[in-house]
Amino acid sequence: MLTKLAGGRLFDPANGVDGEVRDLYIRDGRILSEAPSGEVPQRTYALDGKLVMAGAIDLHTHIGGGKVNIARTMLPEDQRAHVRPRTALTRSGGGHAAPASLAAGYRYSEMGYTTCFEPAVLPINARQAHMEMADTPMLDTGGYALLGNDDLLLQLMSEGASQETINDYVAWTLRATQCIGIKVVNPGGISAFKFNARSLDVDERHPHYPLRPRDILRTLSRAIAELGVPHPLHVHASNLGVPGNYSATLATMDAAEGLPIHLTHIQFHSYGTQGDLHFSSAAAEIAEAVNRRRNVSIDVGQVMFGQTVTISGDTMHQHANHRHAHPGKWTCMDIECEAGCGVVPFRYRDKNFVNALQWAIGLELFLMVDDPWRVFLTTDHPNGAPFTSYPRLIRLLMDRGFRNEQLARIHPEAAAMSCLGSLQREYSLDEIAIMTRAGPARLLGLTDRGHLGGGARADITVYHPLADPEQTFARPMLVFKAGEVVVEEGAIVRVVRGATQVVRPEYDRAIEQRVSDWFDRYHTMSFDNFAISDDEMAEGIGSPIEVHACRPRGGV
Amino acid sequence: MSPLTLTLREAPRQRIEMSAFTPGRLAESSAEAIRRLPLWVGNRQVPTGDLFTVDEGTREDLVIRSDSDRLDGIGAGSTRGTIRVEGRAGAYLGRDLRGGSIRVSGDVGIFAGTGMTGGTLHIGGNAGDFLGAAIPGERRGLRGGRIEVYGNAGDRVGDHQRRGLILIAGDAGDYCASRMTAGTILVLGRTGAQTGFAMRRGTILLTAQPRLPPTFNHNGPHALGFLRLFADALATRDGPFSRLDARGITVDRWLGDLANGGQGEVLVWAP
C-alpha cells in the first residue's frame, strides 16, 4: 500500500532538511526516497504546514529490568494515585514515577516516541529486562549491558589479561544479553562498596583489586572501539551527586584517551563547591570541556520538580542519599556480585536550594553545549523526573521568556548562583529534532531510523505547530510506527509491538571456556542457561531481534 | 431538611465504587445529574440511577440504604457534612477522610479509616482488618480524627498509626497497634496475638491482659491522672465509652516494643 503525507514541513536534520515543505511517501513500512511515478496513493494525509519529524528516540530511560520493578513494588501509592483505565484498545496500567510497562509504552507513544533504550541491563537480569520491554507496547527497545563492576572483568584486568581477551568478553556479553551497548556505572565503585568503601575517585585504587576507575574506563572504551560497536561506552561517572564532582567528570572524559565516550545524566556530575553551602554549578566547566572534546557526547538527566523515584545501579551513592528518601523508604542491594541496585524515592522541590540549583545546572548544560548532535534530551527517567515531563522541558529550551519565569520561582539563592538568566539561546525545532531523533540514532548506529530519507523505517511523528512548544510536543497529531498510524491527536488508535535492537560484534569463542569456568565456580546460574538465544527473544520473550551493523573491526 | 437518600435496588454481583457520593462532591449536582453519574461496578461503568433510587434532599446529609457488603469507598476523601449508612458498608469506608462524620449502623469491610486525617467514623457493627491502618506500601496509618467501633475489629488495627483515636467496644484481632508511632487505641474487649508488635510510641488502653511480644517490659502499676481527663473527654460518647471513669485511674503499664525504640505504652485496667 502506498501512503502519502502531503504538504508537511519536514525537519530531518540527518538529511539536511530544515523545515521545508515536502511530500513523503510510505510503502511497506519504509519511507520512499522519491515519489513513485504514475501511482496514486491509496491513502493521503493532508498535513498542510504540520511539523513532520522522525519518531523520537530516547537513548536513556529506565523502563525495564530489576530496579524498575523494585521501584514499582515499593511505591504502590504511585500506582494508586495515577490510574490509567482500560479502553477497548489498551490495557489498564498505572504509575507516574515508575509506570507499569504497559502505561510506559502507551505514554511514550502518545508523545511521539517510537524507540527507547534501557540503559542498565544487568547481565544476570537481561532476560527479565527484555521480558519487561517486550511487555512495553508501541516501542522498539534495546538495552545496554552493565560491565565494570563484575568480578570477572575486574579479575581479568587484575591478572593483566590482554585487551583482546577483554574485547572477547565484552562481545560475548553483548551477544549473551542481547544488548546494543555497554554501560559502566561508577566504574569499580559498586564493587568497592562491597569492600566497605564509601567513595572511589577516578584515580583512587580499588580496595581489593589493583585497579583504578580510570583503568576500567580506558579498557572498556577501547574494547568498544576495537569491536566496532557503534555506541560509545555509556558511562555513569564516579561521584554521582557529590559536590565538587565535576573534576571527576572531567577525569572520566580524559580516561577514554580520545576514544568515543558517552557521559550520561551529566547534570548529576556537574557540581562545584563554591558558595556558603559548598554546592554550586560547574556547568560552564563541563560544557566547555564537552565543546572542546569531539569524542565526548552527553545526555543531561534534567531535574524537573515533583515526586519521582531515583533508581540506579550505583549502590554506593544511593546508599549515601537514602536519608533524603521521600516517602521514607528505600532499598539498596547487591545483584549476584555483578553490580548493585539502589531505589530511593525522591521529591524535587523548587524552593529547595540544592534541587533548584540542580534544575538550573541541567538547563545551563543544554544551553552551553554548542553541538546539538552531542547532547541529548533526557531526564534519566525516572531519576531526574518521569519522561512525561519532556514536553515541558522542550518548552524550557525553546522559550526563553518561559524559562526566566520559571527561574523567578525557584529558590532565590539558587537562581542567584546560576547564570541561566543570562543565557540567550533558544533551541530551534531543527535542534530539537537533532537531540531527540537524528542524534540518538547516529550515536547508536541505527541507520534505519531517526531520519526521513529513503529506506528509513516509517516511524514518523506529525505535530501541530502551536505557539506553545509544550502543547506541540505533548500531543502529536499523528504517530506512524512502521508505516501504520498508531496515535491520532495524542490518543492510541492501534496497538503494536516492537522489536529488540542489538549489535553483534565478532569474537573468539575461546572466551566462553573461561566464562564457563567462572560460572561453574561462582555463579547461581549455569553457563548454558545464561545466554538468551534469538529464538527465545522472538518466541519466549516476544520481542524479536533486529541486528544493526558494527563498524569494521580494529578501526581505531 | 430531609437527607439525600440513595437506596440500593438489588444486591450487586460486583463491587461498586462509591467515593463519588460525599457532601462536597455532590454540592452542585442536581438529582438528575446524580442519577446519571457513572459508577464503576467491577470493570464496567453504570449510571447511579440504574443501581440506586435517589430521593432528593440536602447534600450536607447523605443517607445510603444498603444491605450489601460490596459498596466500597463510601465517604472516601470527604471533607464535611454527614454520611449515614443504614445497613452495611464494604472496603475502604472513609478512606482519606478529612472532616465531617460517617455513621454506619452495621458491619464494615477491610481498610476502614485508612489514610484518615480528620472527622469521625462511627461503626455500629464489626469492622474488618486494617482499621485505621496503613494500607500496604503506605508509611502512615490513621493521622487524625476518631474512629468508634461498637462491635469487634479485625487484625492490624491502627497499624502505623500516627495520631488520632480508635475506640473499640468489642474485641480486636491480632497485631493490634503494630508499628504504631503515636495516637491512642482503646479496646474494651480482648486483643489477639502480638499486640503492639514493633510499636515505637503511642498508647494502647486495654481491660483484658494482652498477649504481648517478648520485647515488652513490665513497669508495674501506675495511677495516671491523664485517665481521668480521658474519661471526661469521652463522657459524652455513646454506650460503653462514656463510662470509663468507673474503672479508676490505676493501670498496669508495659513499655515496648524494645525492638523498635520501646517508647510505646500498653495500659491495662484491672478486670
Side-chain angles (χ1 to χ4, degrees), chain A residues 47 58 122 135 148 198 342 358 383 453 472 545:
Chain A
L47 300 181
D58 196 338
L122 259 65
D135 200 38
R198 291 295 176 268
Q358 287 178 305
N383 287 318
T472 295
I545 57 156

Side-chain angles (χ1 to χ4, degrees), chain A residues 258-548:
Chain A
L259 294 173
I261 186 168
H262 179 83
L263 276 79
T264 190
H265 45 70
I266 200 161
Q267 178 275 128
F268 292 104
H269 303 271
S270 304
Y271 303 152
T273 50
Q274 316 270 307
D276 295 343
L277 292 161
H278 304 291
F279 182 73
S280 63
S281 168
E285 288 88 339
I286 296 292
E288 197 215 329
V290 173
N291 288 337
R292 261 192 293 115
R293 294 168 174 80
R294 304 292 300 173
N295 62 318
V296 173
S297 59
I298 61 168
D299 65 83
V300 170
Q302 176 67 30
V303 155
M304 301 289 268
F305 302 117
Q307 175 70 47
T308 189
V309 54
T310 65
I311 56 179
S312 173
D314 196 344
T315 326
M316 182 184 264
H317 293 105
Q318 290 294 76
H319 180 262
N321 290 334
H322 77 264
R323 291 190 192 285
H324 304 294
H326 176 95
K329 45 187 169 181
W330 59 279
T331 184
C332 282
M333 61 177 80
D334 171 54
I335 312 279
E336 304 278 350
C337 290
E338 276 185 343
C341 165
V343 178
V344 182
F346 198 82
R347 192 167 76 190
Y348 292 100
R349 298 174 176 87
D350 56 0
K351 302 294 189 247
N352 172 295
F353 170 75
V354 171
N355 299 165
L357 197 53
Q358 287 178 305
W359 175 86
I361 291 169
L363 293 174
E364 287 171 8
L365 286 163
F366 272 118
L367 298 168
M368 291 197 286
V369 173
D370 299 330
D371 182 2
W373 288 94
R374 292 193 288 127
V375 54
F376 303 103
L377 187 127
T378 67
T379 55
D380 188 17
H381 163 82
N383 287 318
F387 66 81
T388 43
S389 56
Y390 286 171
R392 171 158 283 235
L393 175 54
I394 291 174
R395 185 173 182 202
L396 285 167
L397 299 178
M398 293 186 71
D399 181 347
R400 179 164 183 250
F402 176 68
R403 188 162 72 223
N404 287 343
E405 255 171 52
Q406 301 300 309
L407 182 64
R409 291 189 189 168
I410 64 170
H411 192 286
E413 283 179 49
M417 282 185 72
S418 167
C419 67
L420 187 59
S422 66
L423 296 173
Q424 308 285 329
R425 182 170 173 195
E426 290 184 333
Y427 268 80
S428 67
L429 282 169
D430 189 55
E431 287 173 318
I432 295 292
I434 293 171
M435 73 195 306
T436 56
R437 290 130 161 105
R442 181 182 287 184
L443 194 74
L444 285 154
L446 309 172
T447 51
D448 64 341
R449 63 193 72 205
H451 67 99
L452 300 172
R457 289 170 54 105
D459 289 357
I460 301 169
T461 306
V462 181
Y463 298 102
H464 293 286
L466 305 172
D468 175 358
E470 183 173 353
Q471 286 177 25
T472 295
F473 286 96
R475 208 163 171 262
M477 174 191 171
L478 290 170
V479 179
F480 292 84
K481 182 76 189 141
E484 299 282 352
V485 176
V486 293
V487 170
E488 275 178 27
E489 301 298 346
I492 307 268
V493 294
R494 182 188 172 96
V495 176
V496 295
R497 305 190 66 168
T500 300
Q501 314 299 307
V502 302
V503 291
R504 284 283 163 82
E506 288 296 319
Y507 64 94
D508 182 350
R509 303 267 153 182
I511 190 69
E512 292 182 0
Q513 188 56 50
R514 174 72 205 255
V515 179
S516 179
D517 293 345
W518 177 271
F519 268 65
D520 288 345
R521 178 135 186 229
Y522 298 112
H523 231 292
T524 49
M525 198 190 250
S526 98
F527 180 79
D528 296 332
N529 294 334
F530 186 79
I532 309 169
S533 73
D534 297 354
D535 286 347
E536 186 182 356
M537 287 298 295
E539 285 153 31
I541 290 171
S543 182
I545 57 156
E546 290 174 359
V547 182
H548 294 270

Side-chain angles (χ1 to χ4, degrees), chain B:
Chain B
M1 198 172 169
S2 64
L4 179 81
T5 305
L6 299 166
T7 309
L8 187 67
R9 291 176 193 271
E10 58 182 296
R13 291 200 304 155
Q14 305 279 355
R15 309 196 73 87
I16 304 180
E17 171 56 42
M18 298 287 287
S19 54
F21 297 110
T22 66
R25 293 191 187 107
L26 294 184
E28 307 295 322
S29 308
S30 66
E32 201 37 53
I34 293 171
R35 287 187 190 99
R36 282 199 312 271
L37 198 66
L39 292 181
W40 282 105
V41 181
N43 61 5
R44 293 175 306 133
Q45 286 192 299
V46 178
T48 299
D50 291 5
L51 301 165
F52 294 90
T53 55
V54 180
D55 296 313
E56 189 54 291
T58 172
R59 305 290 187 270
E60 291 302 310
D61 185 12
L62 309 182
V63 170
I64 297 169
R65 294 203 176 105
S66 148
D67 203 33
S68 169
D69 61 357
R70 295 182 185 188
L71 304 191
D72 291 346
I74 293 175
S78 185
T79 53
R80 60 171 208 247
T82 62
I83 300 171
R84 288 181 285 152
V85 181
E86 297 179 359
R88 293 194 287 170
Y92 298 107
L93 174 80
R95 166 143 178 84
D96 293 331
L97 188 68
R98 296 287 173 264
S101 75
I102 301 176
R103 297 176 77 90
V104 183
S105 63
D107 297 345
V108 309
I110 56 173
F111 295 125
T114 50
M116 174 172 161
T117 58
T120 58
L121 268 188
H122 181 113
I123 297 166
N126 300 325
D129 296 342
F130 295 98
L131 176 76
I135 63 176
E138 285 187 353
R139 301 275 292 131
R140 296 184 292 189
L142 185 71
R143 277 180 280 157
R146 191 174 66 237
I147 300 176
E148 299 172 15
V149 180
Y150 289 84
N152 303 323
D155 298 340
R156 305 294 286 253
V157 171
D159 172 60
H160 259 323
Q161 181 178 342
R162 288 186 71 86
R163 198 175 297 156
L165 180 59
I166 301 179
L167 307 173
I168 298 168
D171 301 337
D174 297 342
Y175 291 94
C176 179
S178 57
R179 308 190 288 181
M180 186 175 190
T181 341
T184 306
I185 298 175
L186 167 74
V187 183
L188 295 180
R190 290 184 310 266
T191 48
Q194 303 283 8
T195 297
F197 178 84
M199 177 178 186
R200 183 178 288 279
R201 290 185 299 274
T203 302
I204 315 175
L205 262 168
L206 303 173
T207 61
Q209 204 50 235
R211 288 147 67 197
L212 297 168
T215 42
F216 275 70
N217 267 356
H218 189 213
N219 272 195
H222 288 253
L224 299 176
F226 133 81
L227 288 169
R228 185 157 290 133
L229 301 174
F230 186 68
D232 287 352
L234 293 180
T236 58
R237 306 314 311 157
D238 300 341
F241 304 129
S242 64
R243 299 189 293 274
L244 295 182
D245 55 343
R247 295 180 183 272
I249 61 166
T250 304
V251 287
D252 225 16
R253 184 167 185 258
W254 298 74
L255 270 184
D257 183 332
L258 293 167
N260 195 21
Q263 295 182 64
E265 59 177 1
V266 180
L267 309 177
V268 189
W269 277 297

